[in-house]
Amino acid sequence: MNRISPLIVLAVSAMLSACAPQAFVIITEMRGPSQSGLNLGGKSIALAYLYGEDPRDTLFNNAIASGFAGRLEEDYFGGRQQIELFMLQRDKKGNYASKDTLVNLILDTGRDVVFLFDVPEFGVPTVSTPERVTGTVSAPDSAYRSVAKLPFTTKVYVYDSMNKDDKVLGYAGSNNLAPVVFSDGRVDVETLAGKAWTMAGMVPEAEKAGSKAAASFLPTWKEDSFFVIYYDRAEQAWNRAAEFAYRYRWKEAMDEWMTLLQNRNKDKRACAAYNIGLACFMLGQPELALEWLDRSDRDTPVSLSRDLREKIKNYTGKQ
């Protein structure tokens, strides 16, 4: 949601160091940290999973990791495939929750954040009584259906190299996969359970579980306000840029502010650089935004700059 307070222009001469600058408030919804406490916005992500001697481990972890990565990509990368998956052979003596392990993964993958799925623990499966399938069936051995219940516990370790806490976070969860298996109605429970562990039976359910698990790492949203500075009786570029910003056309607004950077008045240059920093942040470029705020401060510190700088750091989790 994007909206601006009714175009009530706030006189901020006490807040700004320039001659007669003014500002208006933009109110918008901003993406914040996830329920897990991690803020993944604007960061590159890698996902690794362990595999062991049991082929079910590999099948399950690949599926749950794929579902997990896909859900994160939907929210953080607009559905583009940006999260690469890596496999690690499990060493029984390895400590996969250790900081050293995760830091090495950061270095190997070159990503800002890394998730590592441990080998799952499986419980005793159960299978419901076979029920005849209604309608036409493709073969006699598919005339009955049963729902299996495959209990599992999974652990995932996360390390964010940009998090000021500089520690590994661990999460664990238990649930049941519920694949449907087909038979001729005379197959014993053990055989039916064996069918549930196959790729066709387990993989779709594990992918769903991974997608569901990713919900704790999706962004939260909250309303926040930001100041846009302009000069009412100065170069027309100020008014044009303010109008673009009012309509959330940040690229066009930034182009106008760029033309004001050669102004002889250092206070105006500082305000233009501040606005460009705000535009960069709104366009999803927080690092560039901070660089422009640094440039603004070098001309003349704008009091609004400190508040914007803190907001950028809080939203991105970068200190």
Side-chain angles (χ1 to χ4, degrees):
M1 178 184 70
N2 294 326
R3 61 188 177 87
I4 301 176
S5 58
L7 200 57
I8 299 175
V9 178
L10 304 178
V12 290
S13 56
M15 303 171 63
L16 301 172
S17 58
C19 179
Q22 294 178 302
F24 59 88
V25 180
I26 288 178
I27 302 174
T28 185
E29 281 198 337
M30 299 296 295
R31 183 166 62 187
S34 63
Q35 294 178 1
S36 70
L38 287 174
N39 192 331
L40 303 179
K43 300 175 184 177
S44 57
I45 302 171
L47 200 156
Y49 63 89
L50 301 178
Y51 68 95
E53 297 176 357
D54 189 338
R56 296 181 305 174
D57 296 343
T58 306
L59 197 62
F60 175 88
N61 264 356
N62 178 270
I64 198 170
S66 296
F68 190 94
R71 187 68 184 88
L72 293 184
E73 288 171 335
E74 287 179 14
D75 272 67
Y76 289 107
F77 302 103
R80 301 187 305 277
Q81 292 186 1
Q82 297 290 315
I83 301 177
E84 191 171 357
L85 269 59
F86 299 86
M87 294 174 59
L88 293 177
Q89 186 169 12
R90 180 176 179 247
D91 182 345
K92 294 180 180 180
K93 297 180 180 179
N95 182 1
Y96 294 100
S98 73
K99 181 180 173 181
D100 286 345
T101 298
L102 276 295
V103 169
N104 284 334
L105 284 174
I106 289 285
L107 296 174
D108 290 342
T109 62
R111 303 299 198 276
D112 300 324
V113 183
V114 65
F115 289 82
L116 175 61
F117 279 86
D118 206 339
V119 171
E121 297 177 10
F122 296 119
V124 179
T126 59
V127 184
S128 66
T129 302
E131 296 181 356
R132 180 176 286 277
V133 176
T134 58
T136 305
V137 296
S138 58
D141 61 359
S142 300
Y144 289 81
R145 69 188 299 274
S146 302
V147 179
K149 182 180 289 187
L150 309 178
F152 72 89
T153 297
T154 187
K155 297 177 183 178
V156 60
Y157 315 113
V158 192
Y159 181 72
D160 180 354
S161 63
M162 296 184 175
N163 191 316
K164 61 181 180 180
D165 292 335
D166 191 33
K167 64 180 181 181
V168 175
L169 301 177
Y171 304 88
S174 299
N175 210 327
N176 294 287
L177 304 182
V180 175
V181 291
F182 295 91
S183 69
D184 60 6
R186 299 190 298 271
V187 178
D188 58 74
V189 171
E190 185 176 347
T191 301
L192 288 175
K195 286 188 175 184
W197 286 117
T198 62
M199 179 178 291
M202 184 170 59
V203 168
E205 292 295 308
E207 288 180 344
K208 291 178 186 177
S211 179
K212 184 177 180 180
S216 297
F217 300 93
L218 299 181
T220 55
W221 296 86
K222 71 175 185 178
E223 191 176 88
D224 206 344
S225 57
F226 299 86
F227 284 102
V228 175
I229 305 171
Y230 77 106
Y231 286 77
D232 190 31
R233 298 179 181 179
E235 296 87 348
Q236 285 300 308
W238 288 106
N239 290 328
R240 290 194 298 268
E243 181 66 22
F244 284 131
Y246 179 80
R247 300 180 184 281
Y248 293 88
R249 294 167 60 180
W250 294 107
K251 180 62 173 65
E252 291 94 329
M254 188 161 58
D255 289 342
E256 295 291 341
W257 288 319
M258 285 286 188
T259 67
L260 299 168
L261 293 173
Q262 303 304 318
N263 199 296
R264 294 181 180 179
N265 186 316
K266 66 178 181 178
D267 297 328
K268 291 183 178 180
R269 292 199 306 269
C271 289
Y274 162 88
N275 283 340
I276 293 171
L278 173 61
C280 289
F281 181 46
M282 292 298 173
L283 291 170
Q285 298 177 297
E287 294 89 352
L288 189 57
L290 292 173
E291 290 179 14
W292 278 104
L293 293 183
D294 289 342
R295 175 168 175 172
S296 174
D297 290 345
R298 285 196 295 270
D299 272 322
T300 299
V302 178
S303 58
L304 293 175
S305 179
R306 179 182 300 176
D307 181 62
L308 177 56
R309 188 184 296 274
E310 287 303 312
K311 287 185 177 184
I312 293 172
K313 291 180 178 179
N314 288 336
Y315 278 116
T316 59
K318 300 176 180 179
Q319 301 300 319

